[in-house]
Amino acid sequence: MATRESHMSQSDLFSWNMERDPVLRSTIVSVLVLDTDPDWDRLLETIDRGTRLVPRLRHRLVTAPFGLAPPRWVLDPDFDLSWHLRRSALPAPADLSTALEFARTEAMTAFDPARPLWRSTLLSGLNGGGCALVMTVHHSLTDGIGGIQIATALLDFDRAGTDRGRPPEPPHDRDGPLRDVVAWNWSVGSELLRGGIRATPRTAWRAVTHPARAARDGAALATSVVRLAQPVTATLSPLMTGRGLRRRLAVLDAPVEPLRRAARAVGCTMNDAFLTAVVIGLRTYHDRHGAKVEHLRVTMPISLRTADDPLGGNRITLARFALPADISHTEDLMRAVDAAVGGWRREPAIPLSGAVAAAFNRLPAGLLTEMLKHVDFVASNVPGSPVPLYIAGARIDRMYAFGPTIGTAVNVTLTSHAGTCYVAINADAAAIPDIAILTDCLAAGFAAVLRLGASEAGADLPSGAPRSTPV
């Protein structure tokens, strides 16, 4: 019997519909820098196992009959692992910038809708004897935390690898299209009915025993839904206003522990320290161009993933809100960022984001695409492994995840791995034509935040951070 997992979620369907405008594509490109070439046969086996553990990697999207349900995930009868996993040699100069240039073209290339929405390329011949594994997936297949969970299930803690036993059987479809649509609607309706039956007595009891409080809670929820769904009609940045299809990539490296220490020094989280560094970097970028900015609007993913959720899948909602940018003292700025982020994490409407997306999905896509192009930037912090990981006998030395800009000027994603923060910058060239300058400004932002930790520890700024590579 099909469940809601057999169909695209309402939130993913919203993003999928918005991709009628290619500026709003939801493509994630990850670049793993490996210390040596992996064993090709072992790599094939590892990726094949991944497609069995995460069935969507073998499924393609098919429109449901008569539009009675979101597109359904259907097993690709022509699934060909050799099409999705390729290998090639890096051209000269075969450095990290060359690998990022390949990743840049991947970020701008649409998926083949007749196949599962992912592809990977092993680029050999990297200077120093290493190579790069470039992995491209559509956001509906996984979010950042889901990607790390998949990696944990597939990667090894040493070169020799781990005997994981016999791989599971490939997924298969049980239901036909019409039966599947009926099953999906039954699943959704049953869930709503069960939720209503559970909630109605509680709601009625609160209305009787605490009518004033019930009224306040209802009003607060309605106001929160408006805040979550309200259209954004203008950028807060006076500078990063253009939008187009060209992308530029760059990377920064910074040490994990000093960034965490900087956050502790102010009584904030590592995510607050990361966001503060990005805000300082963007403010500096505006200063370099003679522009002043008081606030910048961010799109920040908020995870809705639970322990019971299967591997993969996109389990996030996107909150859009303004962050202050004109607070000169770094510690004061971080506290203000912490307050803004904390407020949005506690918004009552966050669990209802799927329902909000469902309402939007009933509107013409053209009415909504423009409202997504006026957020200034995306920022995402993905906690990774604290210890080294290996894939098919090769050690992963660096791990960069370039998230989609989804209509903003730039996406900055931090992935922590083995003691280092690997910061991936994906910029819309129409908004930011000089990514090298932006990268320098972001490096200055991280340096300003790291100094808080150095002062707390009575130490100098770590000499290895931050370092950058623009393309």
Side-chain angles (χ1 to χ4, degrees):
M1 179 68 68
T3 67
R4 297 181 71 177
E5 290 297 322
S6 65
H7 288 258
M8 182 172 269
S9 72
Q10 292 290 348
S11 295
D12 285 340
L13 177 59
F14 176 75
S15 298
W16 186 257
N17 288 337
M18 294 306 99
E19 289 190 16
R20 296 172 189 175
D21 184 337
V23 171
L24 302 174
R25 285 176 183 155
S26 296
T27 303
I28 302 173
V29 182
S30 296
V31 178
L32 307 184
V33 179
L34 311 179
D35 71 333
T36 188
D37 282 1
D39 179 272
W40 181 250
D41 289 336
R42 284 177 63 186
L43 182 62
L44 284 171
E45 181 182 343
T46 298
I47 301 301
D48 178 71
R49 174 181 286 273
T51 67
R52 297 164 186 259
L53 291 174
V54 185
R56 284 190 187 178
L57 295 177
R58 285 178 176 250
H59 284 74
R60 60 190 180 92
L61 278 174
V62 175
T63 303
F66 312 114
L68 296 176
R72 63 193 296 253
W73 297 101
V74 176
L75 182 67
D76 180 6
D78 299 313
F79 179 76
D80 182 358
L81 185 61
S82 67
W83 189 91
H84 292 275
L85 179 59
R86 309 116 178 237
R87 54 180 167 176
S88 183
L90 277 170
D95 55 9
L96 179 58
S97 295
T98 311
L100 293 182
E101 177 61 26
F102 179 87
R104 185 179 77 88
T105 62
E106 284 289 277
M108 297 187 296
T109 303
F111 290 100
D112 181 353
R115 298 178 184 269
L117 305 177
W118 69 277
R119 53 185 178 264
S120 294
T121 306
L122 182 67
L123 302 173
S124 61
L126 189 65
N127 287 347
C131 67
L133 181 61
V134 180
M135 310 176 75
T136 309
V137 301
H138 191 272
H139 214 321
S140 61
L141 298 184
T142 187
D143 52 40
I145 293 177
I148 293 297
Q149 290 178 347
I150 295 171
T152 301
L154 294 177
L155 302 180
D156 303 309
F157 295 104
D158 54 44
R159 289 192 194 277
T162 304
D163 183 5
R164 302 184 186 274
R166 184 176 179 178
E169 292 298 317
H172 59 278
D173 295 326
R174 293 185 175 92
D175 295 326
L178 288 174
R179 183 179 177 186
D180 180 87
V181 168
V182 172
W184 181 86
N185 281 278
W186 177 264
S187 173
V188 172
S190 299
E191 183 175 316
L192 291 173
L193 180 61
R194 287 193 301 270
I197 292 173
R198 288 194 300 266
T200 299
R202 284 197 310 270
T203 303
W205 180 252
R206 282 200 305 267
V208 171
T209 57
H210 302 285
R213 180 180 175 183
R216 286 196 303 269
D217 290 346
L221 178 59
T223 302
S224 180
V225 169
V226 171
R227 281 196 294 267
L228 183 68
Q230 66 182 351
V232 177
T233 58
T235 59
L236 294 179
S237 167
L239 181 66
M240 306 183 303
T241 57
R243 299 293 184 265
L245 293 178
R246 293 176 299 137
R247 298 292 178 265
R248 295 290 183 269
L249 306 185
V251 297
L252 284 171
D253 299 351
V256 167
E257 186 51 39
L259 190 64
R260 185 177 290 120
R261 191 165 59 236
R264 287 198 303 261
V266 187
C268 295
T269 68
M270 186 168 164
N271 187 62
D272 297 328
F274 160 60
L275 281 174
T276 301
V278 174
V279 169
I280 293 174
L282 292 174
R283 182 183 68 200
T284 305
Y285 180 76
H286 282 74
D287 290 343
R288 291 276 293 270
H289 289 80
K292 296 298 180 183
V293 61
E294 296 181 356
H295 291 83
L296 290 168
R297 186 174 287 107
V298 62
T299 289
M300 190 184 76
I302 296 178
S303 178
L304 302 177
R305 187 172 295 274
T306 69
D308 297 328
D309 287 328
L311 285 176
N314 188 16
R315 313 280 176 176
I316 62 171
T317 187
L318 299 177
R320 299 167 297 149
F321 55 95
L323 291 174
D326 59 347
I327 300 175
S328 58
H329 294 290
T330 304
E331 58 269 36
D332 293 336
L333 177 59
M334 194 184 300
R335 291 189 185 99
V337 166
D338 173 70
V341 171
W344 268 94
R345 289 192 186 278
R346 294 187 296 270
E347 279 286 344
I350 291 299
L352 302 178
S353 57
V356 173
F360 280 161
N361 287 333
R362 286 160 175 77
L363 299 175
L367 295 178
L368 302 172
T369 54
E370 284 303 312
M371 70 176 260
L372 299 178
K373 297 180 182 179
H374 296 105
V375 178
D376 299 303
F377 71 105
V378 183
S380 181
N381 173 23
V382 182
S385 171
V387 299
L389 295 174
Y390 297 79
I391 182 168
R395 186 183 67 233
I396 300 173
D397 284 343
R398 302 186 190 182
M399 182 182 294
Y400 301 104
F402 297 91
T405 60
I406 51 175
T408 70
V410 61
N411 181 310
V412 184
T413 298
L414 181 153
T415 304
S416 57
H417 174 71
T420 300
C421 298
Y422 295 104
V423 182
I425 305 161
N426 181 6
D428 185 329
I432 300 172
D434 45 6
I435 193 169
I437 293 177
L438 173 68
T439 306
D440 287 343
C441 293
L442 289 171
F446 275 91
V449 170
L450 289 170
R451 278 194 290 271
L452 294 177
S455 300
E456 181 73 8
D460 294 329
L461 182 66
S463 59
R467 61 185 182 188
S468 62
T469 304
V471 176

